[in-house]
Each structure stands twice: as structure tokens, then as C-alpha cells.
Amino acid sequence: MCYRFSTLYTAKEAEQYYNAYEIEEGYYTVDELNGFNYPETAIIMDIAPTEIVVGKWGLFPSWAKEDFQKKTNTLNAKVETIPQLASYKNSVNKRCVIPAKHFYEWQWLDEKGKTKKKFKIKIKDQELFSLAGIYNLWTNPTTGKQLKTYSIVTTAANDLMSIIHNNKKRMPICLNKDLHKLWLDQKPLEMFSYPNLDPELVAVEAEETFADTLFPEVNSK
């Protein structure tokens, strides 16, 4: 799965990488973002691939009520079941990418996971890459405010991630520049699932940190 990743890049870096413009500000740029804080991050949507906008992590389907996230975890969506599940099936062809420096995962060192080793993972030789996402534009029924909400799409783990994420053996779909364009172009989901897509990932052991609070917004150029 993928519940923590780094957004420690500047708006200028994202604009250059995606050949896009930052249209909206107000997202968090920190080294370790905790999904269970339901933060807002930079995303690029298929309907506007030259615009960097703000999306709320945790997809809200159109029928969701305001307390949806208290009852349901939609931080991640399994690529194998997106077309079948009620929360996701209407977002099959609503694609987005989420800029990332790296993501974090823990390796269980005992049978119950009481002892773990933390790793920092990214695509080899890339300072920035994309996590594949699906989104929905959700309107708050009370306020009428519209939010861009998204889930990170996951697939079966490749060889490296099977060793690291050894309890669940899942990983986010990681896209280089060419592949993120194909993702936004609505190519079939199966094209991006492992082993059809096997990104060259590298991992280093990371220090354990306390990353359970939100941090100041510093997405400056």
C-alpha cells in the first residue's frame, strides 16, 4: 500500500518536470506526508494536463457524505478491483498523477510486525516521479464547495517491494515521464499493473520519524 510519501519539491521543480503551470496553491510540501491526516497535495488531472492543482488525498465518490472518511479508507485503490468497487468504479477513466520525491514502506522483521525497518523508495535516477491516481470531483452537500479528491492506485509488489513490503506485498504504481502521459491518456489499467509494468525502483533504509502532524505550506517557487 502507500500511506506516506514525500512532497519535498518546489513549484518550479514540478512545473519544469510536468511542463505545466501551478494554478492552485495551498498544498503541503514535506518529506513525509501522512495519508491519515487526509492532506491536500499537488496533482495533475487528465482533463487539464498542463495545470498543477490541489487535490485532497482520499477519494470521495459522488454519493459520499461529509463523514465518509471516518468510515471508509480510500487512500489507496487496488488496480485489480477499481472497476468493481462502488467507491471507485465511476473513476476508472478519471486519471490523475501525484508528484512525489519518494515513498515510504516498512519491512516486517518478525511474524507480527512488532519490529520493522523503514525504507525510502523511488524510481532509479529520477529526482521526481509520479504516483498513479484516480480522482473524483466531489461537491459538499452542505456548503456546495467542490473538492478534487483522489486515491493512489496500487498493484502487486515487484521483486524489490516483495522483500520490503513483505506482509502485504503491494506497491503504488510508479510512473516515469513517458508513462504518466499514457496513464493520463486513459490507457487500460492492466497496462500499468505488475508484471506488465515493472518500474526500476531503488530503496534505502530510512530513519524513523514522527510524521503524524501537518506542517506549514512551503510550495514556493
Side-chain angles (χ1 to χ4, degrees), residues 163-176:
I163 295 170
I164 294 174
H165 196 199
N166 55 352
N167 65 315
K168 295 288 182 66
K169 297 194 176 183
R170 301 288 299 178
M171 66 180 184
I173 293 177
C174 299
L175 307 169
N176 62 25

Side-chain angles (χ1 to χ4, degrees), residues 3-4 36 104-119 163-168 205-209:
Y3 295 136
R4 295 181 188 245
F36 290 99
Y104 290 97
E105 198 51 78
W106 282 259
Q107 181 186 55
W108 283 21
L109 301 179
D110 60 72
E111 190 174 309
K112 296 185 177 181
K114 293 182 178 179
T115 306
K116 301 177 184 179
K117 185 183 292 186
K118 182 179 181 181
F119 286 88
I163 295 170
I164 294 174
H165 196 199
N166 55 352
N167 65 315
K168 295 288 182 66
E205 191 172 347
E207 292 184 4
E208 192 61 67
T209 58

Side-chain angles (χ1 to χ4, degrees), residues 64-143:
K65 297 181 179 180
E66 292 176 73
D67 62 351
F68 181 72
Q69 285 181 324
K70 295 180 180 179
K71 303 174 181 179
T72 307
N73 177 3
T74 56
L75 295 174
N76 291 172
K78 291 183 177 181
V79 69
E80 301 90 345
T81 57
I82 287 173
Q84 290 83 43
L85 296 183
S87 293
Y88 305 127
K89 64 183 182 181
N90 291 327
S91 293
V92 169
N93 292 318
K94 295 179 182 178
R95 306 281 183 87
C96 66
V97 293
I98 304 96
K101 293 284 282 187
H102 47 259
F103 66 95
Y104 290 97
E105 198 51 78
W106 282 259
Q107 181 186 55
W108 283 21
L109 301 179
D110 60 72
E111 190 174 309
K112 296 185 177 181
K114 293 182 178 179
T115 306
K116 301 177 184 179
K117 185 183 292 186
K118 182 179 181 181
F119 286 88
K120 181 165 66 173
I121 305 115
K122 68 171 190 173
I123 294 181
K124 185 178 180 181
D125 298 328
Q126 287 201 211
E127 290 303 312
L128 199 62
F129 67 98
S130 298
L131 300 171
I134 56 173
Y135 70 91
N136 187 55
L137 304 178
W138 177 77
T139 301
N140 187 309
T142 301
T143 66

Side-chain angles (χ1 to χ4, degrees), residues 55-68:
K56 183 176 177 63
W57 193 1
L59 187 145
F60 275 59
S62 298
W63 44 263
K65 297 181 179 180
E66 292 176 73
D67 62 351
F68 181 72

